Amino acid sequence: MIKGSCFHLRHVRKEDVTTLTDMMNHPDAKGDFLSQELLLPGAAEKKFDDESRSKEQSETFLIIDENGKMIGRVFHFKTVPYFNSREIGYGMFVKNLRGKGIMTEAVKLLRNYLFSTLLINRLEIHMNVDNVASEKVAINCGFEKEGIARGALFTHGKHRDIAMYALLREDWEKLV
């Protein structure tokens, strides 16, 4: 468990999978920028079961509030096989908690955990170019914009551009 100011991060447990799948599939959780594709319950169970054995390819942490309620998630995964990096993703399930700094703190906790426990040199965050809230999280966590991947995401029936942000280990060391 990783302790935050008013929440903690913990791994997904078997008993969490149904609730997590429902929350990830809810239209409010997806918002305007994520794919509307639904996560199949069986696929979710397999994904989190695989993660419980090894964090080599991916790892998910639930954001749990002081009352024990699941309010969001942060995760990382290996993208390009020859990159010494991980991509970070995140989502806040509870709409009225967005914009309160919880996700920024959760991403900082994940960022610090990853650089402290893995021999990686780079973290990346990618988001729809119109997702201002996600961009603020990346910037507030020390990530720098590296460019735009044109037409890289298909969502809501259209191809969208993706903004790419990254943080190198040497830059993180200056932050902590």
Side-chain angles (χ1 to χ4, degrees):
M1 177 173 26
I2 302 171
K3 195 84 174 107
S5 62
C6 63
F7 63 88
H8 65 273
L9 304 179
R10 71 163 172 79
H11 288 106
V12 178
R13 299 175 184 149
K14 197 172 207 110
E15 62 268 19
D16 298 322
V17 175
T18 300
T19 302
L20 177 58
T21 304
D22 289 346
M23 293 181 103
M24 289 172 58
N25 283 338
H26 195 282
D28 284 348
K30 294 181 174 289
D32 296 329
F33 303 107
L34 296 178
S35 169
Q36 296 301 302
E37 184 177 4
L38 298 175
L39 180 63
L40 295 169
E45 287 174 17
K46 181 176 180 349
K47 174 190 177 351
F48 295 116
D49 188 50
D50 289 348
E51 279 185 14
S52 72
R53 290 189 192 90
S54 170
K55 66 179 182 180
E56 182 63 30
Q57 291 303 312
S58 64
E59 185 177 25
T60 300
F61 290 92
L62 299 176
I63 304 171
I64 306 294
D65 73 9
E66 294 169 319
N67 300 316
K69 183 180 176 194
M70 185 186 311
I71 60 172
R73 69 182 177 130
V74 291
F75 54 95
H76 69 91
F77 54 96
K78 183 114 176 105
T79 55
V80 181
Y82 52 87
F83 275 21
N84 186 15
S85 68
R86 290 290 190 279
E87 184 175 336
I88 291 177
Y90 42 87
M92 181 63 74
F93 300 138
V94 181
K95 215 172 185 176
N96 67 339
L97 292 177
R98 293 178 184 158
K100 301 203 181 297
I102 295 170
M103 192 55 70
T104 295
E105 183 181 354
V107 170
K108 284 180 180 179
L109 290 170
L110 180 61
R111 170 199 77 184
N112 295 346
Y113 165 78
L114 292 171
F115 277 130
S116 297
T117 62
L118 298 176
L119 291 173
I120 56 171
N121 191 50
R122 174 185 176 86
L123 293 175
E124 299 177 12
I125 298 175
H126 301 170
M127 79 279 301
N128 182 308
V129 294
D130 297 323
N131 192 340
V132 176
S134 189
E135 184 175 47
K136 284 180 183 177
V137 169
I139 291 167
N140 289 335
C141 292
F143 288 71
E144 294 182 28
K145 189 172 188 175
E146 291 191 328
I148 304 289
R150 296 179 302 127
L153 175 70
F154 184 77
T155 183
H156 299 278
K158 295 181 182 176
H159 284 92
R160 314 282 178 164
D161 294 348
I162 295 293
M164 301 180 304
Y165 282 77
L167 177 67
L168 299 180
R169 177 178 289 278
E170 65 189 47
D171 298 326
W172 168 74
E173 290 169 345
K174 295 173 190 170
L175 296 173
V176 292

